[in-house]
Amino acid sequence: MKLNKYLKASVAALAISTGAAQAADVEVLHWWTSGGEAAALNVLKGDLEGQGIGWQDMPVAGGGGEAAMTVLRARVTAGNAPTAVQMLGFDILDWADQDALADLNETAAKEGWDDVVPDALKAFAKVDGKWVSAPVNVHSTNWVWANKAVLDANGIAAPETWEDFVAAVEALSAAGLTPIAHGGQAWQDATIFDAVVMSTGGPDFYKSAFIDLDAEALGSDTMKEAFDRMAFIRANVDDNFSGRDWNLATAMVINGEAGFQMMGDWAKGEFLNAGKVPGEDFLCFRFPGTQEQVTFNADQFALFKQGDAVGAEQAALASAILSPSFQSAFNVVKGSVPARTDVSDEAFDDCGKKGMADLAAAASSGNLFGSMAHGHAAPASVKNAIYDVVTAHFNGEYDSETAVDELVTAVEIAQ
Ligand code: BGC
């Protein structure tokens, strides 16, 4: 009896010291660690706090979420899955396939998710008729962020074509500035590659290469041209790009040290967090030559099974995430756009309004495609294989010809 008491006390102490989630808490594993991301996360924390639900934070730094997914795998293997996990596209399908995710159908039915979440997101949120994750937003990767004063001072307008972009970059370089702010990390190289491939080959080519994984497209002259364009970009970043975090690259544009950053619209969260105003301090425009297209990725919260039924706190989290007011408040801060199609764009700034209009237009004209770099075009094994080749080429290990050959082989092996 005494021993039992002692054990109970030790387990309670351990729970406190490890920060393990209590009954009515949600433990959330995510990679939102930059200033802008943390500001957005606070919107969600605040929302849940208002409902009396505690928040156990489990941040794992690393844009794109690769490190977070590694930690998640270890936690699940140890039989200690977090309640809720930020997750992208194919990773959700993968965990659903392993029967690890809770069934959210009751909440989804009660709140009519089927009617308001677009098919492109349902493809990654519903598996065999079951809702397994709660969509938070829609981001897209084919954006350019520019310092307006730097462009104005050098007589540069937002470039519309690749040729315009080359001219703008060369003008900035001639003026002694860093034309392109970039962080040399595989997922960032791949984020640029999404847009470069779309711009070089167009939407059918992007789909053949990254979604259908067609060897002919992967090994084509068009792909070689895309790698040549990556080499041009590489030649116009600063000497210290290697390993730099994406938000530090954004800061270079914010501070006027660099002209452009090619990055998903989470970059806008950093500009806003620094008090910058779109159209006045910075410009947002689609990567040259991809004005009609959107390469998207949607953050979702996958809720891991904790027992047979969905936990009350999990249902509350899912419901909070999908509420129209949260979808507006969160995405205004995050830089993304709502995952629901029925949210007004009123509270959004000009870049957000453009993001919402572009998404709707791309969806209806057949120009909406999953981002390769952010897990919405192909499973993680293929994504990582593409990362390796793109990064090796970016760092000068392969010329463009070799990169194309390596790409074909790497994708084939990864499938
Ligand atoms: C996520 C964003 C996040 C970005 C950088 C992307 O994969 O979808 O929410 O801000 O990575 O961390």
Side-chain angles (χ1 to χ4, degrees):
M1 189 63 193
K2 248 191 175 162
L3 181 68
N4 205 3
K5 241 188 186 170
Y6 169 75
L7 274 178
K8 272 190 189 159
S10 321
V11 168
L14 190 69
I16 291 164
S17 68
T18 58
Q22 304 295 305
D25 285 357
V26 282
E27 189 196 9
V28 184
L29 193 158
H30 63 87
W31 64 92
W32 285 333
T33 55
S34 77
E37 291 172 330
L41 198 64
N42 280 339
V43 176
L44 181 56
K45 284 186 193 168
D47 200 308
L48 291 176
E49 256 161 40
Q51 301 182 48
I53 296 167
W55 180 281
Q56 301 269 344
D57 207 33
M58 176 83 197
V60 181
E66 256 188 299
M69 291 303 102
T70 306
V71 170
L72 172 64
R73 173 77 53 195
R75 287 279 307 261
V76 176
T77 308
N80 183 24
T83 333
V85 181
Q86 177 193 357
M87 215 181 268
L88 298 173
F90 277 87
D91 290 332
I92 302 171
L93 303 184
D94 191 23
W95 283 109
D97 211 39
Q98 296 175 48
D99 205 22
L101 304 184
D103 177 350
L104 302 176
N105 271 2
E106 209 183 305
T107 310
K110 206 164 41 184
E111 299 182 358
W113 295 2
D114 271 314
D115 301 330
V116 293
V117 176
D119 288 345
L121 299 201
K122 274 189 209 150
F124 296 105
K126 272 186 96 167
V127 177
D128 298 333
K130 231 196 285 175
W131 282 90
V132 294
S133 61
V136 181
N137 62 13
V138 185
H139 272 301
S140 54
T141 56
N142 57 322
W143 286 104
V144 182
W145 307 91
N147 182 301
K148 187 170 184 302
V150 168
L151 262 53
D152 288 351
N154 290 280
I156 296 169
E160 288 184 8
T161 63
W162 174 256
E163 290 70 27
D164 290 349
F165 179 66
V166 169
V169 163
E170 282 170 351
L172 291 176
S173 181
L177 290 156
T178 297
I180 298 167
H182 180 61
Q185 297 174 347
W187 74 271
Q188 293 187 59
D189 302 342
T191 301
I192 297 183
F193 199 53
D194 268 0
V196 167
V197 167
M198 181 63 89
S199 171
T200 309
D204 291 344
F205 179 76
Y206 180 95
K207 179 174 177 295
S208 302
F210 287 159
I211 295 171
D212 303 338
L213 306 178
D214 173 41
E216 212 172 295
L218 290 166
S220 64
D221 287 348
T222 306
M223 192 58 87
K224 181 175 169 291
E225 169 75 17
F227 277 111
D228 284 344
R229 292 181 177 192
M230 291 297 285
F232 173 79
I233 290 168
R234 165 66 188 88
N236 285 285
V237 303
D238 70 323
D239 289 344
N240 299 320
F241 80 102
S242 193
R244 175 187 288 136
D245 285 334
W246 66 272
N247 51 315
L248 300 182
T250 311
M252 290 170 67
V253 178
I254 293 175
N255 300 334
E257 286 164 53
F260 302 115
Q261 183 187 24
M262 282 88 82
M263 190 40 66
D265 39 13
W266 45 90
K268 194 186 78 179
E270 298 305 301
F271 284 95
L272 299 183
N273 199 44
K276 303 298 178 191
V277 179
E280 288 176 24
D281 304 309
F282 69 98
L283 304 176
C284 58
F285 51 91
R286 292 289 169 188
F287 188 86
T290 71
Q291 285 83 357
E292 309 290 314
Q293 287 84 38
V294 170
T295 47
F296 82 99
N297 63 297
D299 290 305
Q300 304 207 33
F301 275 112
L303 304 177
F304 276 69
K305 280 185 178 167
Q306 307 285 319
D308 286 342
V310 180
E313 71 288 0
Q314 288 180 311
L317 173 68
S319 161
I321 285 172
L322 264 296
S323 86
S325 58
F326 171 79
Q327 287 277 328
S328 178
F330 177 89
N331 288 307
V332 158
V333 178
K334 182 69 171 67
S336 38
V337 304
R340 297 175 62 118
T341 50
D342 62 344
V343 176
S344 157
D345 70 0
E346 209 185 311
F348 289 78
D349 59 32
D350 287 351
C351 297
K353 285 189 169 66
K354 175 172 168 53
M356 287 173 78
D358 287 357
L359 178 65
S364 66
S365 65
N367 274 300
L368 178 62
F369 298 94
S371 154
M372 176 281 293
H374 294 265
H376 281 73
S381 54
V382 172
K383 178 187 86 172
N384 292 331
I386 299 177
Y387 274 20
D388 288 348
V389 177
V390 171
T391 288
H393 172 269
F394 203 79
N395 290 317
E397 256 175 72
Y398 302 149
D399 61 16
S400 298
E401 189 105 32
T402 314
V404 165
D405 292 345
E406 292 291 334
L407 190 65
V408 173
T409 314
V411 168
E412 194 186 319
I413 292 172
Q415 287 183 73

